[in-house]
Each structure stands twice: as C-alpha cells, then as structure tokens.
Amino acid sequence: MRAQIWILGGTGRSGRTIAAHLAERGLTAVLVGRDARRLHAAAEQTDSETLQAPSLATAASEIRRQRPGVVINTIGPFTTTAPEVVYACRAVGSHYLDLANDVAALSAAFEMHDAATQAGHTLVTGAGFGVTATESVVVKLCEGGPAPLRVRVDMVPSIAMEEGTAGEALIGTLLGGLVGRQITDGHLAPARILSDAVRLTLPDGSQVTTASMPLGELLAAHRASGAHHVLSASSETPSSPVIRAMMPAVSTLMRWERLRLFTTRRLAQVRVKAKERPREHSWGHAVVTWADGETREGWLRLGDAQAYTGAVAAEITRRLLAGQGRPGAYTPAALFGPALAESCGAEYLLPQPGRRRHAPDSDPTR
C-alpha cells in the first residue's frame, strides 16, 4: 500500500489532469472524492482507482489507516483543507503536496517545516504553474550569486477553460490575491493591489499587461532569492479603471476570514463557459536586480498552464516515490532546482546576463 498515490478531489479537472500525467509515467492514482458517480467517470477517463470519502475527515482517517506513499491535495481553500491532511500524512510518514497559490496557504505550509523535518516526511506546496514557472526562473537567474536587491516576477498563464464551476481552489487563490502585499526590506508588508502595471513584450513578440497581485509567487520568489524587495504580478488582473479604483476597498473586505470563505464558496459554484486558451504559450517571467546595478531577466515558456500544473504535480510525485525528496516544507524549485521545470516540458529563454539600466518610469522591479 505504501506505493499508492492518492489525489484528494480527484474528480475535478486538476485531479484528472494529474492522474493522466501520472499514467504517462507508469503510475496509477487513487482518486478520492465524495460522489461515487463522478469518481467512476473520472476513473474511466484516467485509468485510475477510486476511494469514496464523504468528508475530508474521512479521507484523513483513511490516510492514517492505509498509509499511502504520496497524498496530492487539490481541494481548496488550502488554508482550510491542508492542516488536517498534513497532520494525517505526518502521523504515518506519507509525503504531501498541494496546488496552493496564495500567500496565506504557503505561509502556513512553511510554518510546518520543522514538524515535517522531525517526522521525516516531505511537504511540497505551490506544486502548480504559477509558483513553479516564476520561482524556477528566479532560481535560474540567481544561481551561484549573492542575494539580489530586487525581484519582480510575472505570471502569464494561458488556459483552455472547460465548461463547469470554477471550484473553491481557484476562487480562493484569486480572492487571496486581492489582499495587497509585497516584500519590503525583507518582510511581508501591505501594498496597493493592481499597482506597478507593466506592458511586457513577450519573447514571441506579443504584448501583455501585468499588475501586482500577491499570490504564492511572492513568497516563493522571496525564499528562492533572499531579495530585500519582491513584487509579484499577473496578467490575470482586472484592467478596467473603475475596477482598479474599487480594489483597495475590496482588498480590505477580503481580510475578514468569514467573509472571504463565504465569498469563496458562493463564487466557486458559478458556472463558466468553455473557451480556448488566449495564446499559444504560458509564461513565467522574472527580473532580478543586484545592489551594484546588474540586472538579469529571464523567461520560462510552456503550453497550457493547467496541463503544466498536472505535469509538475505528477513529476514531483514520481521523484518523491523514488526517494529524491528530503524532509521539510518546500516549493517545487526550492526542493528540486530549476531543472524540474524543464523535465515537465518547459523551456528557459535567458538573454545573456549583463548590466543594463531601465528608464526611471519603467523599471519593473521598483
């Protein structure tokens, strides 16, 4: 039983995508969920096994009883679901990973580092596109050098949407990003949401605007670089001037946990229409600046961001089962280095490093 891979929330799109990528690696997943009919349909699609669990508490109890090798948590909001699952994994030495991508969830995971180390199990958080794509570029640019002064990371996803509900994991991540924060003088500090807008020219010649949105990439980039000042931005931000003007008030309201959880559950049930992805590639981008003025910029190019999330989670799982992890709490590139991103099908585009100066009004790291 120790070689089992469990996917909590296995009937959702993320769970099914991960199971498919595991199958490509010769691994079979056990899809864990509440609805027997949906479990059966998902298992047929992905050639997986199933385990019906009517609640998260039941799933945690089964983890303690059956002791799977790796548990993949796709159920949001992760600030609510992760602790119970992690505690169950820790009790029996199962490795744990999740797709969290908000500051609160990653912060909570990092606080479990010492306990995970003592228990001898590995906890990987942020095992998806956003954290992996941006953190990997930062690690690549900072290899072998001192800690930089400033880092800016930009997440530019391209996702083909299937018809259905958005789900609590995605909505929880987006609402978490509405609480404005950045790293200032080495510490997490309040910041204005959707500020620092930059018009990026992508390596393929197209353009996209990104603005500050403090998701999990913020903490991952800070831990990967040790920079004094870090800003995370995304292309998935409201562009309307009216909406931007409303964001400070919305950000304040989202600090109330009960309101945030209520809003998350309601919005998670809203149905979305299917649509093709907006561009051929998804991108992770970083600009790193050192105190002496040296600036390096890099890109990570990949395809559909949702498919890449599945590949990342599956590859990390394979490595954990192979004994390549180490006890403690980590983000993907912090644990396995920048080569992990390439092993999942991405490609680095790194211009020759050198010194260059930005115009004062367009410096993307300020």
Side-chain angles (χ1 to χ4, degrees), residues 221-303:
H222 180 228
R223 288 170 65 91
S225 65
H228 293 280
H229 307 284
V230 183
L231 177 74
S232 67
S234 172
S235 62
E236 303 300 288
T237 55
S239 57
S240 164
V242 175
I243 294 178
R244 287 179 179 271
M246 294 172 59
M247 280 300 108
V250 174
S251 176
T252 299
L253 290 174
M254 286 302 102
R255 295 178 188 272
W256 295 356
E257 183 176 1
R258 288 187 178 180
L259 176 60
R260 188 170 64 251
L261 290 175
F262 173 79
T263 306
T264 297
R265 295 189 180 108
R266 292 298 297 270
L267 291 179
Q269 300 307 313
V270 175
R271 296 194 66 82
V272 296
K273 295 181 179 180
K275 65 175 183 178
E276 296 182 358
R277 66 184 200 232
R279 62 186 68 86
E280 181 180 2
H281 297 109
S282 299
W283 301 90
H285 174 251
V287 177
V288 180
T289 303
W290 281 264
D292 65 357
E294 181 182 1
T295 296
R296 297 179 186 176
E297 180 179 20
W299 300 84
L300 187 73
R301 180 174 62 194
L302 53 123

Side-chain angles (χ1 to χ4, degrees), residues 48-60:
S48 303
E49 300 175 15
T50 64
L51 172 65
Q52 187 176 7
S55 67
L56 190 66
T58 302

Side-chain angles (χ1 to χ4, degrees), residues 61-107:
S61 178
E62 287 298 313
I63 289 170
R64 290 185 173 91
R65 187 175 71 85
Q66 299 194 39
R67 302 165 60 89
V70 179
V71 176
I72 304 170
N73 183 14
T74 72
I75 305 173
F78 295 101
T79 51
T80 301
T81 65
E84 187 168 7
V85 179
V86 170
Y87 295 153
C89 290
R90 185 189 306 160
V92 295
S94 300
H95 299 307
Y96 168 92
L97 67 91
D98 65 34
L99 309 183
N101 191 21
D102 61 272
V103 171
L106 265 69
S107 295

Side-chain angles (χ1 to χ4, degrees), residues 2 72 103 130 165 168 176 208 247 250 262 324 326 330 354 358:
R2 292 294 295 172
I72 304 170
V103 171
T165 57
E168 291 191 22
V208 65
M247 280 300 108
V250 174
F262 173 79
Q324 298 176 20
R326 60 180 185 271
Y330 306 93
H358 295 282

Side-chain angles (χ1 to χ4, degrees), residues 87 113 120 123 155 171-172 184 202 235 247 274 293 309 326 330 333-334:
Y87 295 153
H113 177 79
L123 187 165
M155 176 183 69
I171 297 300
T184 302
L202 306 178
S235 62
M247 280 300 108
T309 290
R326 60 180 185 271
Y330 306 93

